[in-house]
Amino acid sequence: MADITKVRNIGISAHIDSGKTTLSERILFYTGKIHKIEEVRGKSGVGAKMDSMDLEREKGITIQSAATYCAWKDYQINLIDTPGHVDFTVEVERALRVLDGAVLVLCAVAGVQSQSITVDRQMRRYSVPRVAFVNKIDRSGSNPDRVIGQLREKLNHNPVIITMPIGLEDKNEGIIDLLYMKAIYYDGDNGEFIREEEIPASLLEEAKTRRHTLIETVADFDDAIAEKFLGDEPVSAEELIPAIRRETISLKITPVFVGSAKKNKGVQRLLDGILDFLPCPTDIRNEGLDQNNQEAKIELKSDPSLPFVGLAFKLEDGRFGQLTYMRIYQGTVKKGDTIFNNVTDKKVKVPRLVRMHSDEMNEIDETSAGDIVAMFGVDCASGDTFTDGTMNVTMTSMFVPEPVIELAISPKDKAGQVNFSKALNRFTKEDPTLRVYRDEESGETIIKGMGELHLEIYIERIKREFNCEVIVGRPKVAFRETITQHADFNYTHKKQTGGSGQFARVAGYMEPLPSDAVENYEFVDDIVGGVIPREYIPGCDKGFKEQLQEGQLIGQPVVGVRVVLNDGQFHAVDSSELAFKVASMTAIREFYSKAKPIILEPIMKLEVNGPEEFQGVMIGQVNQRRGVIVGTATDSGYVVVEAEVPLSEMFGYSTDIRSVTQGKGEFTMEFLRYAPVPKLVQDDMVKDYQQKRAEGKK
C-alpha cells in the first residue's frame, strides 16, 4: 500500500444534470485510467465509464454510485460518482458515510438548486470537508460570481475562490490560478496539454483584487497570514495552501474552482486542489461504538498495524455472487483472512479482494487502513461492521430516509414467481430505502420507495436482470395516521375457557408526541406498587406498538404517539404476558377515536424551472395540485418556482409540465415533512377504506 498521506477518498455529488459523471469521465481520462472520453448521452451509445448499467446509459442519469480509483501526481484517489436524483438519495448517503472529502459540483447557470441543498445537508451530517467546482462556465448565461454568492447565502459556506475564468460563455479560453497568479490554457483535442502564461493585461487588476480577498478570508483563521496581510507583505502560494487545507478540513472554508468539464477546461487544476485541500485518511477522526460498553466510543486510527476494522457500506449482486464494498478504517486484511461480522457474530473467510474501476475488477492480495475495496463471497447487510475478532466495535450506521410511495406488483405468470422473489430479496438487501411487504387484506405484494422513478427503475431491473415480466398497480402514497389530543384508556381483558383463563387490566393514557420528537412511538412505564408485575410490562409495550402499526381510519401506521401505562391489575393464576399484550392492543383499538386521530400525507418540496413566458401556467399547475408557492425567482429569462405540494397530487406531473412549457420545463422534488390532510379529503379516504373493508369481509 502506498504512503497513506498520499491517499484521497473522495465523492462527487451535486444536483441532477450538473455534470458529475462528465467530470468523473475527465478525471479518469487525465489520470490515464481511460484512453477515450465518452459522453453521458454520447452518439456512440457507449455511455460514460461510470454509468455501467444499461438503464443509466439509456436514461442519461446515474442510478447507482460507482467506485473507481486513479493516480494523479503519485497520489492515489479513490473516487465515487454518486447519483443526483433525489430518488436515489441513499446512494449519496452511503458514499458520504465512508468518504473523507467531496467535490460539490454546481452549474454556473442554474447555481445552487434544491438537490444541491440536500447533498450539502448530507455532507454536513457526516462532517465531510469539500471543495466546490463551478462547472459549465462555457454555457450561455453562466455567472460563477452569482453561484459563489448563493454558496454563501443559501448553503452558509465561506467560499474561497482559487481559480477565476478567462472569459465566459463561448468566449471562455481558460482559467486564472489566483494562488500562483498564472493564466492556464488547455490545448489539444481533449485539453490534455496545459499551457501556463502571464495573466492577460485586461484581467490583471481583477485577479489582484480577487487574490487580495482570498488572503483576507484566510487571514481570519491564520495568525501568521493575518500578520502579513495587515503589514501589506506578499503572501506566497506555499504559505496559503497549508492554511487553506487546515480550514477546509475543519469545515470553516470551501475552496472554489471554476471550469467546464465538457469543454475540458479546469479539471486538472481541480485535481491539484483535491490533493492540496482535501484530507487524507489520517486527517479525519473516525470513531466506533464499544459493544462491551455502549456509552464509550473508540477512536479508530488509519494505521495498517492495528487490529482490522472495516465497514460494509454497499452491496451489489455481481456476476460472481455478492460484491461487498468496504471502507477499511484500521489495520490490514489479506485474501484468505478470516474476518468477523460484529453485527451477526458470524465469521467469514475473504475469498477474493478486488479494486473496482466502475464495473471492472482488478484483483489485489491485501488492503489496509484508508482504502476502499470490494470483497466477494462475504455475506452481510449494508452497514455491517467487520473486525479481525479482537475488537468488539461497530461503526455508526448511515441515515436511511423513510419511503413515501408504494406500488402493488406481481409476476405476470406463475412461472416467474421464483425469479420475482429472488429479485425482491436481492434489491431490498442492496437498497435500504426499498421496502417490500405483503398486504394481508388484498394478498398483494407491495413495494415502497422514494419516488416514481425509484420504483420504475427496479421494475425495469426485475424484467431485464431476472427475465420476469411484472404487472404493476397504480402508485399509492404512504399515508400515516396520528392523534391530536390526550385520551385516557382503561381496559380489562377477561377470557374464561376450560382450565386457567386469561386476565389483564391496563390503564393509562395516550398523547401526541412533540413535533420535534425523533422517534414515532414512545412507551412510558409509570407503574408503581407492583399492580402489574415487572415481567408483564414488555408484553404491554409490544401490544401497544403492534396495534399502532395499523390505525383505525385508513389502516396506515400511527406515528407520533406516547403511551403512558400508570395502572392495572393482574390475577395470580390467569395473568400472563400474552394476556397483557392482548389487553394493551384492545385498549388502543377501543379508545383510539377519543384521541381525535387524523391522517397525515407526505408533503414534497418542489422546484420547477422553465422559460419566463410560462410562469403563469407553471404557477397555475402547482395551485391546482393543492400546492403552496414558497417563492419565485427569475434569472436571465428563466423562472424558478419553489413550492410545497402533497405527493398524492403529483402523479403524472412530469407529462403535464412538459406539455404546458413546450418541453422546456424541468422539476425536482424531494420529501419535506408529513402534514395533516384537509378535512374533506380525510372524510373521503375514511369512507373508501371502510367500504373496501366491508367488501373484503363479504
Side-chain angles (χ1 to χ4, degrees):
M1 170 87 186
D3 171 3
I4 198 163
T5 61
K6 294 197 165 184
V7 173
R8 297 288 180 271
N9 292 316
I10 64 154
I12 294 186
S13 301
H15 184 90
I16 193 163
D17 269 353
S18 298
K20 294 176 300 299
T21 304
T22 307
L23 177 62
S24 304
E25 194 76 359
R26 300 309 186 268
I27 288 174
L28 294 179
F29 178 75
Y30 297 131
T31 55
K33 282 301 286 187
I34 57 173
H35 303 295
K36 181 172 187 285
I37 291 173
E38 293 287 354
E39 298 304 340
V40 174
R41 296 185 178 87
K43 292 187 176 67
S44 67
V46 174
K49 175 69 193 172
M50 300 299 273
D51 285 347
S52 58
M53 205 193 278
D54 290 343
L55 272 168
E56 294 180 312
R57 290 174 175 174
E58 283 168 30
K59 290 184 180 286
I61 59 168
T62 302
I63 293 167
Q64 289 187 327
S65 50
T68 186
Y69 65 100
C70 54
W72 180 252
K73 298 189 173 172
D74 77 2
Y75 280 70
Q76 182 185 316
I77 298 174
N78 291 318
L79 175 77
I80 297 184
D81 172 29
T82 63
H85 202 288
V86 67
D87 286 16
F88 309 107
T89 191
V90 74
E91 290 288 333
V92 186
E93 286 284 346
R94 58 169 136 221
L96 291 173
R97 170 66 189 83
V98 298
L99 291 167
D100 301 326
V103 178
L104 175 63
V105 183
L106 298 164
C107 169
V109 182
V112 171
Q113 295 164 277
S114 60
Q115 202 54 26
S116 327
I117 298 170
T118 305
V119 168
D120 183 68
R121 192 168 60 236
Q122 290 169 319
M123 289 178 185
R124 285 179 200 275
R125 186 178 290 136
Y126 303 108
S127 301
V128 178
R130 61 280 218 193
V131 299
F133 182 64
V134 180
N135 191 21
K136 306 191 179 184
I137 57 171
D138 59 302
R139 270 188 55 189
S140 167
S142 69
N143 184 346
D145 284 331
R146 185 174 58 84
V147 180
I148 291 161
Q150 290 177 341
L151 199 55
R152 186 179 286 109
E153 289 145 29
K154 285 191 176 181
L155 300 182
N156 296 320
H157 281 234
N158 191 358
V160 173
I161 302 165
I162 307 293
T163 63
M164 61 175 267
I166 302 173
L168 285 172
E169 302 178 348
D170 53 358
K171 294 186 177 65
N172 177 248
E173 293 172 32
I175 59 166
I176 292 170
D177 184 332
L178 298 172
L179 286 177
Y180 294 97
M181 288 301 273
K182 288 276 180 209
I184 305 174
Y185 300 93
Y186 298 89
D187 301 331
D189 291 344
N190 297 310
E192 60 270 59
F193 303 114
I194 300 166
R195 174 165 54 89
E196 284 191 6
E197 303 270 339
E198 289 306 310
I199 295 171
S202 59
L203 291 172
L204 190 56
E205 276 314 305
E206 187 190 338
K208 280 180 180 168
T209 309
R210 286 183 187 271
R211 192 173 198 275
H212 186 270
T213 309
L214 183 158
I215 298 167
E216 188 179 4
T217 309
V218 179
D220 288 344
F221 302 100
D222 189 285
D223 293 344
I225 287 172
E227 219 169 283
K228 286 197 154 190
F229 176 72
L230 293 169
D232 268 349
E233 295 173 48
V235 185
S236 69
E238 288 68 30
E239 290 168 290
L240 284 166
I241 289 170
I244 296 172
R245 176 187 176 80
R246 201 169 45 248
E247 299 315 321
T248 302
I249 293 170
S250 62
L251 305 178
K252 289 189 184 128
I253 61 177
T254 305
V256 180
F257 296 82
V258 300
S260 165
K262 199 167 171 76
K263 292 285 193 293
N264 313 308
K265 290 188 173 80
V267 179
Q268 294 95 318
R269 184 63 192 93
L270 173 67
L271 276 167
D272 292 339
I274 288 167
L275 310 186
D276 287 342
F277 305 129
L278 289 182
C280 68
T282 51
D283 290 328
I284 296 289
R285 183 185 164 87
N286 291 302
E287 290 179 329
L289 303 172
D290 186 347
Q291 292 304 292
N292 301 326
N293 173 8
Q294 288 292 337
E295 301 299 307
K297 289 189 172 177
I298 299 173
E299 189 179 347
L300 302 172
K301 294 189 168 70
S302 295
D303 183 338
S305 61
L306 291 174
F308 162 72
V309 180
L311 176 74
F313 67 94
K314 176 175 159 67
L315 312 177
E316 226 174 73
D317 221 26
R319 296 188 294 277
F320 310 104
Q322 182 173 304
L323 184 62
T324 304
Y325 284 82
M326 198 175 290
R327 164 73 199 260
I328 316 296
Y329 282 100
Q330 187 175 283
T332 304
V333 64
K334 296 184 174 72
K335 197 160 98 174
D337 278 0
T338 299
I339 57 175
F340 290 79
N341 184 330
N342 275 15
V343 178
T344 61
D345 285 336
K346 286 183 181 164
K347 54 181 184 179
V348 249
K349 199 172 178 186
V350 181
R352 281 178 75 190
L353 268 178
V354 292
R355 230 186 258 294
M356 296 303 293
H357 174 39
S358 187
D359 57 342
E360 290 171 24
M361 294 161 223
N362 301 320
E363 297 270 350
I364 52 171
D365 292 325
E366 73 170 284
T367 180
S368 57
D371 220 345
I372 293 176
V373 292
M375 296 179 179
F376 270 113
V378 174
D379 190 41
C380 66
S382 187
D384 286 0
T385 303
F386 286 86
T387 65
D388 60 358
T390 62
M391 289 182 78
N392 194 8
V393 65
T394 60
M395 305 293 292
T396 51
S397 61
M398 60 189 180
F399 170 78
V400 178
E402 283 296 309
V404 291
I405 186 170
E406 50 187 62
L407 276 178
I409 61 168
S410 57
K412 211 165 197 173
D413 47 53
K414 284 276 183 283
Q417 188 66 51
V418 174
N419 277 3
F420 180 71
S421 300
K422 264 191 201 164
L424 292 181
N425 281 339
R426 178 184 138 187
F427 294 148
T428 47
K429 204 170 173 187
E430 280 181 18
D431 182 350
T433 56
L434 182 75
R435 315 272 168 89
V436 176
Y437 75 97
R438 188 177 166 78
D439 185 328
E440 293 307 325
E441 275 184 21
S442 64
E444 293 174 317
T445 301
I446 309 286
I447 57 170
K448 296 168 97 168
M450 300 305 295
E452 280 183 279
L453 181 67
H454 188 212
L455 298 181
E456 193 185 299
I457 293 291
Y458 278 113
I459 289 161
E460 193 57 40
R461 286 183 68 187
I462 293 172
K463 289 179 191 169
R464 293 183 187 202
E465 294 169 36
F466 289 85
N467 199 17
C468 170
E469 287 291 328
V470 288
I471 300 164
V472 182
R474 277 178 59 84
K476 284 194 301 194
V477 171
F479 289 100
R480 296 278 182 269
E481 294 183 29
T482 193
I483 57 174
T484 57
Q485 67 180 41
H486 174 108
D488 293 314
F489 61 82
N490 184 348
Y491 180 76
T492 306
H493 170 63
K494 271 189 209 167
K495 203 171 184 188
Q496 205 60 48
T497 49
S500 65
Q502 286 184 16
F503 178 87
R505 181 171 82 84
V506 291
Y509 59 89
M510 56 181 126
E511 63 181 5
L513 275 169
S515 56
D516 57 352
V518 179
E519 296 298 323
N520 277 321
Y521 163 77
E522 189 185 304
F523 172 65
V524 180
D525 168 15
D526 264 353
I527 292 293
V528 284
V531 290
I532 298 178
R534 287 282 111 220
E535 65 267 27
Y536 299 149
I537 303 285
C540 298
D541 184 17
K542 274 184 203 152
F544 294 137
K545 205 171 183 176
E546 207 168 292
Q547 191 57 49
L548 290 168
Q549 289 303 308
E550 197 178 306
Q552 310 287 293
L553 295 178
I554 55 165
Q556 290 296 330
V558 185
V559 296
V561 179
R562 177 186 287 132
V563 181
V564 178
L565 183 66
N566 57 19
D567 195 10
Q569 204 180 336
F570 75 103
H571 185 280
V573 177
D574 291 352
S575 286
S576 64
E577 188 176 348
L578 178 65
F580 273 97
K581 183 182 170 184
V582 172
S584 301
M585 290 178 79
T586 318
I588 294 285
R589 217 166 35 235
E590 298 279 317
F591 292 89
Y592 183 64
S593 58
K594 291 207 165 98
K596 292 271 167 39
I598 56 168
I599 300 171
L600 298 175
E601 63 180 339
I603 300 291
M604 308 303 278
K605 181 172 151 197
L606 173 73
E607 191 177 279
V608 200
N609 57 40
E612 224 172 315
E613 70 222 62
F614 301 116
Q615 181 170 349
V617 285
M618 281 158 57
I619 289 174
Q621 263 193 348
V622 172
N623 289 334
Q624 276 170 2
R625 293 170 182 266
R626 289 202 283 128
V628 176
I629 306 290
V630 177
T632 56
T634 49
D635 189 64
S636 46
Y638 265 74
V639 65
V640 176
V641 178
E642 286 180 21
E644 294 176 5
V645 196
L647 175 62
S648 55
E649 303 287 338
M650 291 305 288
F651 296 123
Y653 180 66
S654 52
T655 315
D656 288 357
I657 187 71
R658 284 194 198 106
S659 64
V660 298
T661 59
Q662 297 169 9
K664 294 171 187 164
E666 291 177 343
F667 76 99
T668 56
M669 188 168 70
E670 66 174 302
F671 173 70
L672 183 63
R673 62 170 188 276
Y674 269 98
V677 165
K679 182 85 177 76
L680 286 171
V681 179
Q682 174 164 318
D683 293 345
D684 288 347
M685 288 171 75
V686 173
K687 209 159 105 193
D688 284 356
Y689 177 68
Q690 304 298 356
Q691 208 173 328
K692 270 185 198 158
R693 288 198 68 168
E695 282 167 11
K697 283 175 183 167
K698 279 178 191 170

